[in-house]
């Protein structure tokens, strides 16, 4: 076990609540202090559906630039295998952290989950029971490959029924043909293997669940429950809840300015040098007029364009 994994395990143990490895509401609120909006009953930030809808049009570059500017430098990871690579995955993160199976830890976690918390299923089902619409199940399965998969087509169908979304899974999946048949199960995972995990602490034990909705690490990214997951074009970025609206608004401004600039270049009204550099007051005034004239047909909500126009001084 690497030093990083040991520290992660200690971190998860410190964050455990009274419900089968699930973080307490108080601790989750404590760890997400910048979020001032609505929360789920367990404390997880609940970014509004309207922001999630608008997030579907955000590029990875746009989101990355905003987060980088806010000093969030470890929110992106790539190198994924995908289901539905031409689709976009957007939703609120529900996290789970597994580690290589260890009988003593696994047994006490099982006992608490089954006897105290009345969980009747195996550990890999516990986080799935918490999923709701527009969630994304984000799992650190420590890259496990052979004998590692905890998700196949049965759990995949359950996840999709609960969320309408796919997964971000740092490990191998199985039953990949069945997962593809789900249709809109846009997913990111590390590999495929036909084996499955075993969780018998008295026999073969491959995985142990050490955290539900705790901070977790996915590749090079740090993920918090309630982060907005944006997966597209081969990469996944995890956007802190309190920055989701800023990411969306910044993307929309960039999109509108690009549309205007491209149109004016085709019309040969301005030169590439004028559009690529800081815009003159004349171009900015032209942009404001263009926004007003096209407000009903632009691919940005009308109220957002009106808000943008109110902020402009020309």
């Amino acid at each position: 076990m690497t030093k990083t994994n040991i520290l992660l395990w200690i971190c998860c143990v410190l964050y455990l609540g009274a419900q089968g490895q699930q973080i307490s509401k108080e601790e989750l609120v404590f760890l997400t202090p910048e979020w001032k909006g609505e929360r789920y009953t367990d404390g997880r930030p609940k970014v509004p559906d309207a922001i999630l809808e608008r997030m579907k049009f955000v590029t990875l570059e746009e989101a990355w630039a905003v987060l980088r500017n806010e000093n969030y430098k470890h929110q992106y990871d790539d190198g994924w295998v995908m289901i539905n690579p031409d689709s976009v995955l957007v939703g609120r993160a529900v996290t789970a952290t597994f580690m290589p199976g260890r009988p003593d830890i696994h047994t006490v976690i099982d006992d608490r989950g089954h006897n105290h918390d009345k969980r009747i299923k195996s550990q890999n089902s516990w986080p799935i029971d918490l999923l709701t619409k527009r969630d994304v199940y984000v799992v650190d399965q420590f890259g496990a490959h052979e004998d590692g998969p905890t998700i196949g087509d049965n759990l995949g169908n359950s996840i999709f029924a609960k969320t309408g979304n796919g997964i971000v899974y740092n490990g191998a999946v199985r039953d990949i043909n069945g997962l593809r048949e789900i249709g809109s199960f846009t997913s990111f995972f590390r590999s495929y293997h036909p084996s499955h995990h075993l969780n018998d602490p008295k026999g073969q034990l491959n995985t142990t669940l050490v955290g539900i909705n705790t901070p977790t690490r996915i590749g090079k990214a740090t993920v918090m429950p309630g982060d907005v997951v944006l997966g597209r074009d081969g990469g996944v970025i995890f956007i802190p809840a309190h920055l989701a609206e800023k990411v969306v608004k910044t993307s929309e401004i960039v999109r509108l300015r690009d549309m205007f600039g491209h149109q004016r270049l085709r019309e040969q009204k301005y030169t590439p040098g004028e559009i690529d550099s800081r815009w003159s007051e004349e171009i900015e005034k032209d942009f404001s007029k263009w926004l007003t004239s096209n407000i009903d047909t632009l691919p940005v909500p009308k109220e957002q364009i009106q808000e943008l126009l109110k902020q402009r001084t020309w």
Side-chain angles (χ1 to χ4, degrees):
M1 187 180 296
T2 67
K3 181 178 180 182
T4 299
N5 283 339
I6 292 172
L7 291 173
L8 177 60
W9 180 82
I10 293 172
C11 180
C12 288
V13 170
L14 291 174
Y15 289 149
L16 297 181
Q19 296 184 347
Q21 309 316 102
Q22 186 174 347
I23 195 171
S24 70
K25 177 180 179 179
E26 294 73 20
E27 193 68 21
L28 188 46
V29 171
F30 171 76
L31 290 171
T32 52
E34 300 297 325
W35 175 249
K36 308 302 181 184
E38 183 180 359
R39 292 178 182 266
Y40 289 95
T41 55
D42 63 3
R44 187 166 57 107
K46 187 178 182 181
V47 172
D49 286 353
I51 295 295
L52 299 183
E53 283 298 317
R54 293 159 63 188
M55 189 68 72
K56 293 177 181 178
F57 302 97
V58 176
T59 68
L60 293 173
E61 290 81 2
E62 291 163 351
W64 183 88
V66 173
L67 298 189
R68 188 81 172 181
N69 191 54
E70 295 288 332
N71 204 30
Y72 286 77
K73 300 177 180 178
H74 308 288
Q75 301 305 124
Y76 172 78
D77 198 58
D78 52 22
W80 301 96
V81 182
M82 292 184 62
I83 295 174
N84 297 330
D86 295 327
S87 298
V88 178
L89 175 65
V90 171
R92 308 176 188 96
V94 167
T95 67
T97 303
F98 290 83
M99 297 194 73
R102 174 166 163 158
D104 53 349
I105 300 173
H106 194 98
T107 298
V108 295
I109 289 173
D110 255 3
D111 287 344
R112 181 168 64 184
H114 293 151
N115 299 324
H116 181 274
D117 304 318
K118 308 305 179 184
R119 299 181 187 271
I120 61 175
K121 303 175 183 177
S122 63
Q123 291 182 12
N124 62 303
S125 296
W126 296 354
I128 295 173
D129 291 339
L130 304 178
L131 296 172
T132 62
K133 288 297 181 185
R134 311 198 79 148
D135 284 341
V136 175
Y137 188 34
V138 178
V139 188
D140 180 12
Q141 187 75 6
F142 56 90
H145 185 63
E146 185 172 358
D147 296 329
T150 61
I151 292 182
D153 53 6
N154 287 334
L155 284 184
N157 274 282
S158 176
I159 291 168
F160 185 73
K162 290 173 177 289
T163 68
N165 266 330
I167 58 175
V168 177
Y169 191 80
N170 187 29
V173 300
R174 67 190 308 269
D175 302 320
I176 194 166
N177 292 324
L179 292 174
R180 287 175 176 150
E181 289 173 0
I182 297 174
S184 299
F185 194 68
T186 299
S187 297
F188 296 74
F189 52 95
R190 293 303 186 193
S191 60
Y192 159 77
H193 200 276
S195 62
H196 61 85
H197 87 297
L198 296 172
N199 60 353
D200 179 5
K202 296 181 179 179
Q204 186 170 346
L205 178 63
N206 298 331
T207 64
T208 295
L209 176 67
V210 297
I212 302 173
N213 272 338
T214 56
T216 196
R217 188 185 73 175
I218 300 295
K220 300 180 290 296
T222 299
V223 188
M224 283 297 298
D227 280 358
V228 174
V229 180
L230 173 60
R232 60 179 304 158
D233 307 316
V236 181
I237 195 163
F238 303 94
I239 302 166
H242 67 281
L243 291 176
E245 185 171 6
K246 184 169 187 176
V247 167
V248 165
K249 287 184 174 180
T250 301
S251 170
E252 290 171 348
I253 292 171
V254 170
R255 199 176 315 141
L256 292 171
R257 291 175 78 87
D258 281 347
M259 288 182 65
F260 166 80
H262 296 164
Q263 180 178 327
R264 291 296 188 252
L265 286 171
R266 289 193 299 269
E267 296 167 348
Q268 300 186 39
K269 183 170 183 177
Y270 304 118
T271 67
E274 290 175 307
I275 292 298
D276 284 342
S277 59
R278 184 180 181 87
W279 287 359
S280 66
E281 184 175 339
E282 175 190 356
I283 297 178
E284 292 287 2
K285 288 180 178 179
D286 188 19
F287 178 51
S288 292
K289 292 178 182 177
W290 179 84
L291 288 173
T292 302
S293 300
N294 296 280
I295 193 170
D296 292 320
T297 60
L298 293 171
V300 171
K302 184 175 180 178
E303 58 272 18
Q304 300 306 320
I305 298 175
Q306 291 170 333
E307 180 182 336
L308 175 60
L309 287 167
K310 288 178 183 178
Q311 296 171 357
R312 299 178 68 80
T313 57
W314 45 72

